[in-house]
Amino acid sequence: MTIKKLSDVFEAYPKSTADFMRERGQCFYIPAYQRPFSWGRENIERLVDDIVHGLDQLLQRNDATAFIGTLITIHDTDYTTIDPLVRAQVPSKVMTVIDGQQRLTTLLLLNMVLHDELTNRHLRFNRSNDDGSKWLYQQCLQTLSELRDTLEEDMSHGDGDYQWYPRMTRAYLDRWSRLESEAQYESDIANLLHQYGKHCRSDDSGTFQPTGDRPLGRSYETVRRIIRSAIARETHQDIDFPDVTGFGDAGYLALTLFNDELPSAVTDALGDSTSGKFAELFRLLAFGRFALHRVAVTVVTTRSEDYAFDMFESLNTTGEPLTAFETFRPRVIREEGHSEYQGSMAYDHLSKVERYLEQFEKAQSRLAATSNLLIPFALAESGYRLSKRLSDQRRYLRNTYDNSEPAERNIFLENMSHTAELLEGAWDKNTWSPSGPSLIGLEPLDTEEKLCFDVLQSTNHRIAIGVLTRFYSAQRHGDEVDIGIVLRAVTAFLALWRGAKGGTSGIDAAHRDLLSKGRPDDGFSALARLVEGSDPPDVATVCAYFRLALQDEGLDTRDAWAAAASNIAIYDHNKDLARLLLLAATHDTTVDPTRPGLIKRARQGVLPLLNYEKWMDGGNVTVEHIAPQNPGDGSGWSASIYRDTGMKDCLGNLLLLPARANSLISNRAWEEKRLMYRILAARNREEIEKAHVEMMDAGLDVASDVLVNNDYLPIVAGVAAYNDNWNADIISQRSHLLCELAWDRLSPWLSIA
């Protein structure tokens, strides 16, 4: 009996997606036991982000690729897996996909979208006489041909459109054939590929629209939206396409992607505008070239299904992945020496990191915790935007450590331990002390500082950890800085930025730029420790930087900020932020007797609300909508409130109440609510009884003890004193006033006079 060689059992080889998907005569077959395509937006965005990240790395390294995993296939030379089968019509090389269907299908969708986008954009540049447009047009022609080849196999002859085979079909639903009477493309993927091929060969020059309400057609539209926002227009919130103005500086990049240097006309056009049609098409083209030729897969091909499943189980049961920290630690031990490591400073520093990460027992939780530590650490140390990819994290730790002098290495490790200690003591609530957040090695936090940490954590403002850990490390090293000032500044910036904008757009970039670039034109260098020419940590710089960031948005004065913030549906954007602004606005205030329904600033200590104790008092300080979010029919609330869908969620329609009272008052009519507010705002027994009689006279039979047994709540007194109908006018007045009061309380944290 002949002994089989390993190569007779399986072969494994790396290929670019273009080489793999365009191979002559090769088509893909999905067996019946495979689940339908199930990738949603998050998975698709991750794949696009992986490709964008690889393209970004190509600006820094001429060998950068994006590896998207392993595909396990059977080269079914006997067509034993194919059903239904027309043997004489089958492609010459059928690859039955055992593992990788989701990725392969997504690549087909991606290539379809890219082909359609390039097709509908490139023709206008054939009509131009400038060299840049001509170059772009010719590059598009080449790329369109390659993309088209990944979608269909040209069988040389056949009945009309049936000359071209969809690259992928599915068992039972599809059948390859050149003959229209025999061909069958009923599965989502084969049908979509066949539709698109017919569209390309038709006279229809418009955008391709999948026919029929099929799930994969909807996935195609999702891919198109992602490509347009992330690549063409650069408006995607989570995917950052590299700056194309730098493509001409890295000569190898153009040679790698286009096999040609970028003509000066192209670099000039990109330098003039990165938002026009030329730049949009260039980004799509560059992305497409990288996706075709620098995205790699490892193709494992077996000769039988048994071997394929053995391989599949082996590749998917290899244990828990090691975190970047776990692979970095042995590198440090080797550098220190095994015998000396135990008593070294490096051991002390890494032990603190290890102690923190060991609290996360499950593999995925530990991987996430490691990312959440290393990302802000890299930003604080190097101004580097570290990704969640293990390869990126491992490379950053190794390269930064290896390229540092011995003394610098120790600081690097110590600052990593500081990041772990900050997260352990002041960020992760499950590791806080009973008294709340604290900073190991520093004086206890005051009540405002504890409040700030919980606000940042509750609003998931993780980007702030980079700036905070930079100053925490500096203070631990003995520098004359006060992290408390920075903490207040970061919190005020969050509240003022998002309070006037609602969303988070732009705020992360402001933090990253502070550490990685600074504002050289304004005299501020980067604050990250290892950035060349960086400034030493200085609290005044942080406050000034954030003030300038607000100024850039026209939000650096009381009037401008209040005008913008008063119209924001802040509760809808972030409930915790709405609660913070209410606490800041009503802190040390009293009823304004000259303006019914409104309040004014009072002397210090009259109504202390902006502190950790009130913030954490979830039972007594909850957000109530005065006009309900969803009023019932016939409730009598003014229609003016609901014409603008955001008015009900803006600051002027919100109030702080005890949870039980909030639940009781709920969606009642304004007249009923106002009477209940008066009980809560009553200062003595006589006022309580008077308000209670009014409530009974109005026919309200409610559990009034819930209201009576609460402490005096001057926070509701202003609203309780308002006798007119609650409508859009009073909400607007109150919203603007509360925003002014919140500004007065928070802007000093940024040293705004």
Side-chain angles (χ1 to χ4, degrees):
M1 182 175 64
T2 303
I3 299 175
K4 281 184 176 290
K5 299 178 182 179
L6 283 178
S7 58
D8 294 330
V9 177
F10 79 94
E11 294 177 340
Y13 43 89
K15 282 198 171 186
S16 71
T17 58
D19 289 343
F20 181 56
M21 298 173 73
R22 297 175 63 218
E23 186 170 335
R24 182 64 182 161
Q26 177 172 275
C27 290
F28 307 106
Y29 177 81
I30 309 300
Y33 48 75
Q34 290 274 25
R35 296 187 183 95
F37 181 75
S38 61
W39 271 19
R41 172 178 287 274
E42 183 177 350
N43 301 102
I44 296 168
E45 286 181 336
R46 187 180 301 119
L47 179 62
V48 173
D49 190 40
D50 285 340
I51 298 172
V52 170
H53 177 73
L55 181 56
D56 183 52
Q57 291 296 297
L58 192 59
L59 284 168
Q60 305 169 43
R61 311 192 322 271
N62 62 5
D63 61 348
T65 60
F67 176 66
I68 60 171
T70 300
L71 302 176
I72 301 177
T73 63
I74 304 168
H75 185 188
D76 191 1
T77 56
D78 296 326
Y79 308 142
T80 57
T81 63
I82 300 175
D83 189 10
L85 171 67
V86 183
R87 178 175 287 271
Q89 302 292 336
V90 174
S92 59
K93 187 176 182 180
V94 176
M95 306 295 282
T96 300
V97 179
I98 300 301
D99 184 44
Q101 176 212 170
Q102 306 291 332
R103 276 165 292 158
L104 198 51
T105 305
T106 304
L107 286 172
L108 288 169
L109 294 175
L110 189 64
N111 288 354
M112 255 189 287
V113 168
L114 285 170
H115 187 276
D116 198 43
E117 290 295 312
L118 292 177
T119 298
N120 291 314
R121 293 168 183 264
H122 82 294
L123 290 175
R124 72 175 64 197
F125 295 96
N126 190 35
R127 298 190 294 267
S128 178
N129 291 322
D130 71 278
D131 292 339
S133 295
K134 291 178 181 178
W135 181 92
L136 191 61
Y137 176 75
Q138 291 298 323
Q139 287 290 337
C140 283
L141 291 181
Q142 173 66 28
T143 305
L144 283 168
S145 175
E146 294 176 3
L147 288 169
R148 181 76 171 274
D149 285 348
T150 69
L151 307 176
E152 292 182 311
E153 171 69 6
D154 186 353
M155 301 299 290
S156 301
H157 63 88
D159 294 343
D161 289 311
Y162 295 91
Q163 174 182 326
W164 291 271
Y165 281 8
R167 284 283 183 188
M168 180 181 284
T169 62
R170 193 175 184 89
Y172 301 153
L173 299 174
D174 306 314
R175 181 168 52 215
W176 284 299
S177 179
R178 298 179 182 87
L179 305 177
E180 183 176 0
S181 60
E182 293 179 347
Q184 177 178 308
Y185 303 124
E186 297 296 330
S187 73
D188 276 6
I189 182 59
N191 181 269
L192 188 64
L193 289 168
H194 189 58
Q195 275 190 51
Y196 187 72
K198 289 166 62 176
H199 169 80
C200 293
R201 287 182 287 276
S202 71
D203 295 329
D204 182 6
S205 60
T207 300
F208 172 64
Q209 298 292 337
T211 60
D213 187 21
R214 290 173 175 252
L216 204 63
R218 295 192 290 274
S219 297
Y220 176 90
E221 295 296 341
T222 298
V223 173
R224 178 154 58 193
R225 287 192 294 271
I226 293 170
I227 290 300
R228 285 180 174 177
S229 63
I231 313 303
R233 299 169 186 157
E234 291 187 295
T235 57
H236 196 285
Q237 184 172 343
D238 298 316
I239 300 175
D240 294 325
F241 197 88
D243 184 3
V244 293
T245 59
F247 279 33
D249 297 332
Y252 59 83
L253 184 145
L255 292 173
T256 300
L257 294 182
F258 308 111
N259 197 30
D260 188 12
E261 294 182 353
L262 287 187
S264 58
V266 174
T267 57
D268 290 343
L270 295 175
D272 291 338
S273 173
T274 59
S275 60
K277 298 298 182 183
F278 188 97
E280 287 187 3
L281 182 57
F282 181 84
R283 283 192 290 270
L284 289 166
L285 178 64
F287 178 84
R289 300 297 300 173
F290 189 93
L292 284 167
H293 298 288
R294 303 297 293 187
V295 172
V297 294
T298 296
V299 182
V300 177
T301 302
T302 70
R303 296 290 184 260
S304 75
E305 199 169 60
D306 287 340
Y307 291 142
F309 277 106
D310 287 344
M311 188 66 62
F312 174 77
E313 290 170 6
S314 174
L315 289 174
N316 284 274
T317 58
T318 53
E320 299 175 355
L322 292 172
T323 67
F325 175 76
E326 289 168 327
T327 57
F328 172 66
R329 184 170 169 270
R331 173 71 188 85
V332 177
I333 295 174
R334 285 198 306 272
E335 184 63 28
E336 294 288 330
H338 287 271
S339 58
E340 291 82 12
Y341 175 69
Q342 196 76 19
S344 68
M345 289 187 291
Y347 171 81
D348 291 339
H349 301 325
L350 292 188
S351 294
K352 293 174 183 177
V353 180
E354 195 171 13
R355 181 190 66 191
Y356 170 68
L357 294 176
E358 282 178 346
Q359 299 173 85
F360 302 90
E361 297 179 358
K362 294 183 178 180
Q364 290 305 314
S365 297
R366 191 161 56 252
L367 282 168
T370 304
S371 282
N372 290 337
L373 185 155
L374 294 180
I375 289 172
F377 167 66
L379 190 60
E381 282 290 286
S382 309
Y384 181 66
R385 185 177 181 180
L386 193 63
S387 74
K388 293 182 179 180
R389 296 174 184 81
L390 280 173
S391 59
D392 197 15
Q393 294 173 11
R394 289 168 181 159
R395 186 182 298 112
Y396 171 75
L397 291 177
R398 183 186 67 243
N399 290 349
T400 309
Y401 183 79
D402 289 351
N403 294 330
S404 300
E405 297 296 327
E408 284 295 316
R409 288 175 177 175
N410 187 63
I411 297 173
F412 182 76
L413 299 178
E414 185 175 13
N415 288 351
M416 189 191 302
S417 75
H418 290 158
T419 308
E421 289 182 328
L422 183 142
L423 292 171
E424 182 177 14
W427 194 272
D428 294 334
K429 290 188 176 183
N430 60 328
T431 57
W432 281 1
S433 68
S435 61
S438 61
L439 289 174
I440 299 168
L442 300 183
E443 294 295 319
L445 300 172
D446 65 29
T447 186
E448 281 187 353
E449 292 164 349
K450 290 181 180 180
L451 162 71
C452 289
F453 264 121
D454 199 272
V455 167
L456 296 173
Q457 198 273 351
S458 297
T459 54
N460 197 33
H461 195 52
R462 299 197 68 89
I463 191 65
I465 299 173
V467 174
L468 294 174
T469 198
R470 175 73 176 109
F471 280 85
Y472 177 54
S473 290
Q475 196 165 345
R476 290 288 299 275
H477 286 303
D479 293 355
E480 293 185 3
V481 295
D482 185 347
I483 191 176
I485 298 174
V486 177
L487 181 57
R488 286 176 173 85
V490 166
T491 306
F493 182 62
L494 164 70
L496 296 177
W497 184 279
R498 291 198 61 184
K501 288 176 168 286
T504 59
S505 177
I507 195 168
D508 285 8
H511 275 264
R512 292 191 192 101
D513 288 351
L514 169 61
L515 288 160
S516 65
K517 297 190 295 188
R519 294 178 67 116
D521 292 343
D522 296 303
F524 302 131
S525 298
L527 282 181
R529 186 176 71 89
L530 297 176
V531 173
E532 186 176 354
S534 63
D535 285 335
D538 176 59
V539 295
T541 296
V542 174
C543 292
Y545 176 87
F546 285 144
R547 289 197 304 270
L548 287 171
L550 290 172
Q551 180 179 309
D552 291 343
E553 302 296 320
L555 299 171
D556 59 324
T557 66
R558 184 180 194 254
D559 290 344
W561 186 83
S566 60
N567 295 313
I568 295 295
I570 193 62
Y571 185 86
D572 181 57
H573 285 287
N574 191 285
K575 298 175 179 60
D576 288 305
L577 193 56
R579 190 160 166 260
L580 173 68
L581 291 173
L582 282 173
L583 287 171
T586 51
H587 178 87
D588 283 345
T589 58
T590 187
V591 173
D592 187 342
T594 65
R595 296 187 293 174
L598 304 181
I599 56 177
K600 63 180 182 178
R601 185 68 67 204
R603 63 188 299 179
Q604 184 176 348
V606 166
L607 187 59
L609 294 176
L610 195 62
N611 54 61
Y612 179 68
E613 291 71 30
K614 287 295 183 184
W615 174 258
M616 296 300 291
D617 191 1
N620 287 313
V621 187
T622 64
V623 179
E624 138 88 346
H625 283 75
I626 300 170
Q629 290 175 293
N630 300 296
D633 294 337
S635 61
W637 286 95
S638 172
S640 65
I641 298 171
Y642 301 97
R643 290 194 192 104
D644 180 350
T645 56
M647 176 161 283
K648 64 182 183 301
D649 290 318
C650 73
L651 212 59
N653 193 48
L654 304 178
L655 193 61
L656 295 172
L657 287 182
R660 291 182 65 201
N662 197 338
S663 178
L664 176 66
I665 294 173
S666 190
N667 287 354
R668 296 175 182 274
W670 164 241
E671 288 301 324
E672 297 176 6
K673 280 196 169 190
R674 182 162 51 86
L675 292 173
M676 294 179 179
Y677 292 155
R678 286 182 177 175
I679 289 182
L680 291 171
R683 291 168 293 184
N684 51 51
R685 175 57 56 181
E686 290 75 17
E687 289 185 0
I688 290 175
E689 291 177 354
K690 179 181 178 182
H692 187 249
V693 168
E694 289 179 346
M695 193 170 68
M696 297 301 291
D697 289 344
L700 290 178
D701 185 14
V702 298
S704 59
D705 60 301
V706 174
L707 306 176
V708 172
N709 291 336
N710 277 290
D711 293 336
Y712 162 54
L713 290 179
I715 198 170
V716 304
V719 176
Y722 190 70
N723 291 317
D724 293 334
N725 188 32
W726 192 260
N727 56 31
D729 289 339
I730 184 59
I731 291 175
S732 295
Q733 291 179 50
R734 186 170 180 268
S735 189
H736 195 274
L737 173 65
L738 291 178
C739 287
E740 290 180 330
L741 293 171
W743 170 274
D744 292 344
R745 190 69 185 87
L746 295 173
S747 61
W749 288 1
L750 285 171
S751 299
I752 299 177

